[in-house]
Amino acid sequence: MSESIPTVLLDQRIREGIIDYFEWVGNYQLQRKYQADVPHVDVPIEAINQWENWVRVEGFDTYLEPVFSRQEQIAIREFHRIWDAVADEMPEGYSRLEDLIGTALWERLRKAAEQAHDIFILRGHFDRNVIQFADQD
């Protein structure tokens, strides 16, 4: 029988995943490292698709305090707005990272991720296995 995970701990894990996502999407060097480490993965496609693993439009109201600060909630929405526009504008056959690095489109996504990361990192990382907030779950 599996043990249930308290909601606040699950939220902390999601927050950590979002920080990790912002970190690599917001940095060309880390994008290149990702591509080198996992050559069978198309990093641009991964950058677009992986966001949906962490955040869903219909779930914006689930990213709540105390795990997600008000500024972090705004950062998620703002990044999503830019991500959505970039995803819609991606050209056909956009799988090569080096074809996108340096373009205005890819720079817009990178910069948005970097800015969101800067907001999240203000409070730093939370433990993925220990509830950080007293009186939660």
Side-chain angles (χ1 to χ4, degrees), residues 62-106:
T62 63
Y63 304 102
L64 302 173
E65 294 182 86
V67 176
F68 294 91
S69 72
R70 183 71 185 128
Q71 293 84 0
E72 291 167 353
Q73 294 169 39
I74 293 167
I76 287 171
R77 289 175 188 264
E78 180 60 19
F79 178 82
H80 185 81
R81 184 185 63 76
I82 293 167
W83 169 89
D84 196 36
V86 169
D88 284 347
E89 294 174 33
M90 291 294 286
E92 290 293 322
Y94 65 88
S95 63
R96 280 188 27 87
L97 178 62
E98 290 303 321
D99 293 342
L100 286 173
I101 285 182
T103 65
L105 182 68
W106 204 244

Side-chain angles (χ1 to χ4, degrees), residues 109-129:
L109 185 71
R110 187 207 62 77
K111 187 70 174 171
E114 178 184 59
Q115 290 170 341
H117 181 266
D118 289 348
I119 290 167
F120 271 76
I121 214 64
L122 289 172
R123 292 196 310 151
H125 290 276
F126 294 164
D127 195 299
R128 293 178 191 250
N129 297 309

Side-chain angles (χ1 to χ4, degrees), residues 4-115:
S4 70
I5 299 172
T7 301
V8 70
L9 191 56
L10 182 59
D11 287 348
Q12 286 175 207
R13 291 176 182 178
I14 291 169
R15 184 180 180 277
E16 289 303 301
I18 289 171
I19 291 173
D20 292 346
Y21 173 86
F22 286 148
E23 184 174 30
W24 76 264
V25 173
N27 183 301
Y28 288 147
Q29 183 178 353
L30 292 177
Q31 290 178 25
R32 286 181 170 121
K33 182 180 180 332
Y34 194 146
Q35 188 66 75
D37 290 348
V38 193
H40 64 280
V41 169
D42 293 320
V43 169
I45 292 170
E46 186 70 10
I48 297 301
N49 292 337
Q50 197 180 101
W51 178 245
E52 293 177 307
N53 292 341
W54 297 113
V55 175
R56 300 193 191 287
V57 176
E58 65 275 4
F60 279 153
D61 295 333
T62 63
Y63 304 102
L64 302 173
E65 294 182 86
V67 176
F68 294 91
S69 72
R70 183 71 185 128
Q71 293 84 0
E72 291 167 353
Q73 294 169 39
I74 293 167
I76 287 171
R77 289 175 188 264
E78 180 60 19
F79 178 82
H80 185 81
R81 184 185 63 76
I82 293 167
W83 169 89
D84 196 36
V86 169
D88 284 347
E89 294 174 33
M90 291 294 286
E92 290 293 322
Y94 65 88
S95 63
R96 280 188 27 87
L97 178 62
E98 290 303 321
D99 293 342
L100 286 173
I101 285 182
T103 65
L105 182 68
W106 204 244
E107 177 61 12
R108 202 162 84 211
L109 185 71
R110 187 207 62 77
K111 187 70 174 171
E114 178 184 59
Q115 290 170 341

